[in-house]
Amino acid sequence: MASTTISQSRSFKASRPRFAAAEIVTLAISDVPHDDPSAIASGPTVPDPSTLADARALVARYNLTVDDAVRRALEDPGNESCKPGDAAFARAQFEMIAKPKASLDAAIKVAKDAGYEVIGLGADLEGEARDVAADHARLALKARSEGKRIAILSGGELTVTLRGKGRGGPNQEYALALAVALAGTSGVAALSGDTDGTDGGAGQPDDPAGAFIDATTLARAGRLGLDPAVFLNDNNSTEFFEKLGDLMTPGPTLTNVNDFRAILVDSP
C-alpha cells in the first residue's frame, strides 16, 4: 500500500477540559451520518470513545508515515481524551437541534405534496459517488419504464476516489456520473448538493454546492464538444457543469445538515 505522510509542527494535548467544574450546554447541528455527537465538529464538549491505540492502529493499517511530533503525541498517555463516564462531563448537557433526517423528511413532504410517489433512501448514505449514482440511475430507469411519477430522495455524505487532477466534489461527481448512467433519458431530472453551500472547492464563498442535470445534459455537452466520460475520469465535474451553466451556487448557507440528492421521474 502506498505510504502517506502526515506532518505536525508541534505536539498537541487532548486533556481534561479546564471548564470541567462549569455547567456545559452543547447545542449541536449534525453534519455527519448517524449523528454521532463525538464526530460533530470533533465533539469537544462530549465524551470521546476513540483511543490513542485506535489512532496508532490506523497508522499501522494504512502504512502512514508520521513525523516524530505526531508519533510522540500518539504514544503519550496524557493525550488520551476524556471517555464516557468521566467526571469532566458530570455537568454537561447535549441537545441536537437540527439533523439531516429532519431536512430529508421536509423534502419528502414537499415531494408528496407535489404529487410524487417518494422513494426515501435515508439520510445516512455513504459510498463512492459514482457507484451510488449508478445505483440510483437504475432505480430511476426502472420507475421511468413503468411509467411512474417518483421522487428518489437521499441524504448522507459520499466520497470520491481521486484518479485525476480536475476540480469537483462528491455532489458534482455524483451528478455527472448520474447523467452518464441515465444517458439522456427523457422525463428525469436531478440535483445533488451540499447543504452548507460548498461541495469540495477551496473554501471560497463562490464555490459550487453541487449541480443539476436533466434529459438535455449530455446533448448540450455534445454540442460544446464535451465528453462527460473524460471529465469524470479526471474528477473534473466542476469544469464540466461550469461550461454547461448547471452548477448550483447558492453561496454559504451558514448551516450544514449533510448532503442532499433528489431525482424526479415524471411519467410519459
Side-chain angles (χ1 to χ4, degrees):
M1 183 176 291
S3 174
T4 301
T5 301
I6 298 177
S7 296
Q8 176 77 8
S9 60
R10 59 186 176 83
S11 62
F12 57 91
K13 299 290 283 183
S15 57
R16 183 182 308 277
R18 293 182 179 179
F19 45 76
E23 182 172 357
I24 306 167
V25 177
T26 301
L27 304 177
I29 297 175
S30 174
D31 63 340
V32 299
H34 314 298
D35 307 322
D36 177 3
S38 68
I40 299 171
S42 301
T45 62
V46 297
D48 173 25
S50 67
T51 65
L52 293 173
D54 294 335
R56 293 193 297 268
L58 287 173
V59 170
R61 178 180 176 184
Y62 293 105
N63 192 29
L64 303 178
T65 300
V66 299
D67 66 22
D68 289 341
V70 173
R71 191 171 300 281
R72 286 195 301 271
L74 293 179
E75 292 174 352
D76 182 355
N79 286 328
E80 195 69 78
S81 56
C82 297
K83 300 294 180 277
D86 193 291
F89 302 104
R91 291 168 56 79
Q93 178 182 348
F94 178 89
E95 296 291 341
M96 192 86 70
I97 60 173
K99 53 187 178 180
K101 186 179 183 303
S103 63
L104 185 62
D105 288 345
I108 288 173
K109 182 180 185 305
V110 170
K112 287 182 176 179
D113 289 347
Y116 286 92
E117 177 185 344
V118 172
I119 297 178
L121 300 178
D124 301 313
L125 264 63
E126 299 178 89
E128 186 75 22
R130 61 183 67 187
D131 295 339
V132 175
D135 290 341
H136 291 185
R138 283 189 284 271
L139 289 176
L141 291 171
K142 181 176 184 295
R144 187 72 175 86
S145 68
E146 295 171 350
K148 294 182 178 179
R149 190 167 188 257
I150 282 180
I152 302 169
L153 307 178
S154 63
E157 292 192 349
L158 307 182
T159 54
V160 171
T161 298
L162 294 178
R163 301 172 174 86
K165 298 180 179 180
R167 296 175 294 138
N171 288 288
Q172 296 162 83
E173 179 140 329
Y174 168 93
L176 180 52
L178 184 65
V180 171
L182 291 174
T185 300
S186 63
V188 182
L191 66 82
S192 178
D194 195 320
T195 58
D196 68 2
T198 299
D199 178 49
Q204 299 301 314
D206 57 351
D207 286 338
F212 306 93
I213 69 163
D214 61 21
T216 72
T217 298
L218 297 190
R220 288 185 289 118
R223 289 194 291 272
L224 293 174
L226 309 177
D227 184 341
V230 170
F231 283 86
L232 188 60
N233 289 336
D234 195 32
N235 301 118
N236 200 11
S237 51
T238 296
E239 184 178 353
F240 179 83
F241 288 113
E242 190 173 51
K243 289 180 180 297
L244 290 180
D246 290 344
L247 287 173
M248 186 191 311
T249 54
T253 64
L254 306 183
T255 191
N256 189 6
V257 284
N258 230 319
D259 296 348
F260 173 72
R261 293 166 294 275
I263 304 173
L264 300 182
V265 181
D266 283 293
S267 56

